[in-house]
Amino acid sequence: MKKHNFNAGPCVLPRQAVESAIEAIRDFDGTGIGLLEISHRTPGWERIMAETEQLWRELLNIPEEYAVFFVGGGASTQFFQVPANLLKGKAAYLQTGVWAKKAAKEAKYYGDVEIVASSEDKNYTYIPKEYTIPTDADYFHITTNNTIYGTELHEDIDCPITLVADMSSDIMSRPVDVKKYGMIYGGAQKNVGPAGVTFVIIRKDLLGSSERKLQSMVDYATHYPDEARNRSMYNTPPVFPIFVMHETLKWVKELGGLEVMYKMNKEKAELLYNEIDRNSMFVGTAVKEDRSLMNVCFVMAPGKEDLQDEFFNFAKERGMVGIKGHRSVGGFRASLYNACPKESVEALVACMQEFENLHK
Ligand SMILES: *Cc1c(COP(=O)(O)O)cnc(C)c1O
């Protein structure tokens, strides 16, 4: 049976990226040696690194005055690396979910943290809009897509201070006005590759701007030295996830880039949200205007709660994988990242319709 992968991360990747990774493990770049066995100093690898940075720059239209590099440790490491590098006195955080809350928690090790607004009162089902960004803070931290709750900030906000964004789960899903941000970071495993690599995009004047003494690995400046061939190469880079990221971004480029991704993502999300709103068995959990294009969260409609396990099994029998909601929301979550084909969304919609008919 064909499987439809709605996992929230790690998650579905473009088939062509997976196939090309399998081939590279056997024989990297015609060298007769596998990707997992090469030196990261072979010229073929240095080319992949340079191309990967270039693909990021092209696809996101990243200006020259920004550095782009890749490190380990996941987005969770950035939760403390951001304040280590950028927090001098006070930082401001928008608390739109547990990832945002965890980011703020780590910042407290380095200085004062002001939570400018939080939607915790309603289990993060919306994005707070009424707040003031303190101009005396060193930066304002946001989470653009809240993977667990299915809410998303759909615009690049105007910010009077340095804007820092965790874009782990919506990076490359739409065009972004990078100039509005001081820094953008995220784990690769939601939309740009497998787990094991983290992307950092940061305005160059912020590199080495810390007044704190930092360990080399923590200091952003270490990872983007002047000499291009040493970028993201201070220590051994995670070659496998970077390779898959390279292939994934090549696929995005071949399809036409982020405008095309955005259009496809809007179509897929609309298809599923329309069905949730139409179907008498289900209701969405997030406030409509803040609904995420990447993670679609829904629960059984009032009075139908007893049917939750039945629908879960019903969907499973029809090939749906990874639709169980996060435990803090319950119900269901279908993640529709770039590589999730429209056919999978259509299959899920058909399954929801069939289930409704069965219970009429
Ligand atoms: C998954 C996720 C994280 C955590 O990423 P790791 O790479 O596992 O540390 C952080 N923020 C958001 C928005 C996420 O979706």
Side-chain angles (χ1 to χ4, degrees):
M1 183 186 29
K2 183 169 168 39
K3 300 282 186 181
H4 300 286
N5 184 354
F6 296 103
N7 276 320
C11 51
V12 62
L13 288 166
R15 285 336 290 167
Q16 99 182 39
V18 173
E19 294 303 331
S20 142
I22 292 169
E23 180 47 33
I25 287 175
R26 290 204 186 91
D27 178 3
F28 172 69
D29 201 32
T31 55
I33 295 175
L35 172 65
L36 307 180
E37 302 158 284
I38 55 161
S39 157
H40 58 290
R41 290 292 174 191
T42 58
W45 180 256
E46 291 190 346
R47 195 196 76 236
I48 294 285
M49 284 300 264
E51 278 179 18
T52 308
E53 180 182 333
Q54 198 46 40
L55 281 163
W56 275 87
R57 289 190 181 278
E58 261 178 64
L59 290 168
L60 270 173
N61 208 2
I62 302 173
E64 190 44 46
E65 61 267 28
Y66 285 74
V68 182
F69 58 85
F70 314 108
V71 289
S76 300
T77 295
Q78 294 310 309
F79 292 170
F80 71 79
Q81 209 167 344
V82 166
N85 281 270
L86 305 181
L87 205 171
K88 297 188 173 80
K90 181 173 90 170
Y93 280 71
L94 184 62
Q95 192 176 308
T96 51
V98 293
W99 293 123
K101 193 175 182 174
K102 285 181 176 173
K105 179 183 168 220
E106 299 302 313
K108 288 178 192 149
Y109 286 93
Y110 297 91
D112 293 333
V113 170
E114 182 177 332
I115 306 294
V116 299
S118 166
S119 47
E120 192 173 12
D121 57 337
K122 291 191 175 144
N123 199 30
Y124 301 117
T125 46
Y126 68 100
I127 308 253
K129 311 274 180 329
E130 302 297 316
Y131 56 80
T132 314
I133 301 166
T135 49
D136 61 340
D138 298 309
Y139 63 86
F140 180 46
H141 181 282
I142 57 172
T143 311
T144 50
N145 184 67
N146 300 283
T147 326
I148 295 173
Y149 313 90
T151 62
E152 186 173 9
L153 247 164
H154 295 289
E155 269 154 35
D156 302 306
I157 60 170
D158 292 315
C159 183
I161 56 176
T162 299
L163 182 60
V164 176
D166 173 358
M167 288 199 189
S168 291
S169 54
D170 63 347
I171 189 74
M172 298 282 178
S173 68
R174 64 171 174 93
V176 166
D177 187 358
V178 174
K179 287 190 301 299
K180 288 195 162 179
Y181 299 83
M183 176 179 165
I184 296 170
Y185 70 88
Q189 70 275 18
K190 311 280 168 53
N191 218 10
V192 288
V197 64
T198 312
F199 57 87
V200 174
I201 302 162
I202 183 169
R203 225 175 45 230
K204 286 176 184 167
D205 62 279
L206 295 170
L207 292 173
S209 66
S210 176
E211 288 157 4
R212 195 173 276 120
K213 276 191 178 165
L214 294 173
Q215 298 88 341
S216 308
M217 279 295 282
V218 174
D219 190 346
Y220 286 137
T222 303
H223 301 283
Y224 203 80
D226 289 338
E227 207 190 349
R229 69 183 285 270
N230 287 332
R231 290 176 188 161
S232 306
M233 296 272 251
Y234 175 73
N235 70 326
T236 319
V239 296
F240 183 70
I242 292 175
F243 183 84
V244 183
M245 182 163 78
H246 175 267
E247 297 303 300
T248 303
L249 297 183
K250 249 168 61 183
W251 172 85
V252 172
K253 187 180 166 180
E254 279 165 27
L255 285 186
L258 299 191
E259 288 292 352
V260 174
M261 287 298 132
Y262 190 33
K263 186 165 171 285
M264 284 166 49
N265 289 329
K266 279 191 287 195
E267 279 169 15
K268 288 184 289 178
E270 193 177 85
L271 202 62
L272 186 50
Y273 283 123
N274 283 346
E275 179 57 21
I276 291 167
D277 293 342
R278 185 209 62 78
N279 196 310
S280 59
M281 308 294 289
F282 306 101
V283 285
T285 55
V287 165
K288 278 190 185 170
E289 62 177 3
D290 298 328
R291 281 175 163 178
S292 166
L293 299 185
M294 295 284 98
N295 313 95
V296 177
C297 295
F298 55 104
V299 294
M300 300 309 298
K304 312 279 187 196
E305 293 89 346
D306 297 351
L307 296 171
Q308 177 165 312
D309 288 347
E310 190 184 324
F311 178 69
F312 185 72
N313 290 322
F314 184 86
K316 195 173 161 190
E317 281 162 15
R318 282 155 187 77
M320 308 303 145
V321 175
I323 62 164
K324 207 179 189 72
H326 189 274
R327 64 186 181 287
S328 57
V329 178
F332 307 97
R333 169 176 56 176
S335 298
L336 315 181
Y337 299 116
N338 287 351
C340 172
K342 194 175 178 190
E343 297 75 65
S344 289
V345 185
E346 286 165 346
L348 177 57
V349 165
C351 176
M352 292 162 76
Q353 290 171 352
E354 219 187 305
F355 191 73
E356 184 188 36
N357 289 335
L358 197 70
H359 288 277
K360 262 200 176 132

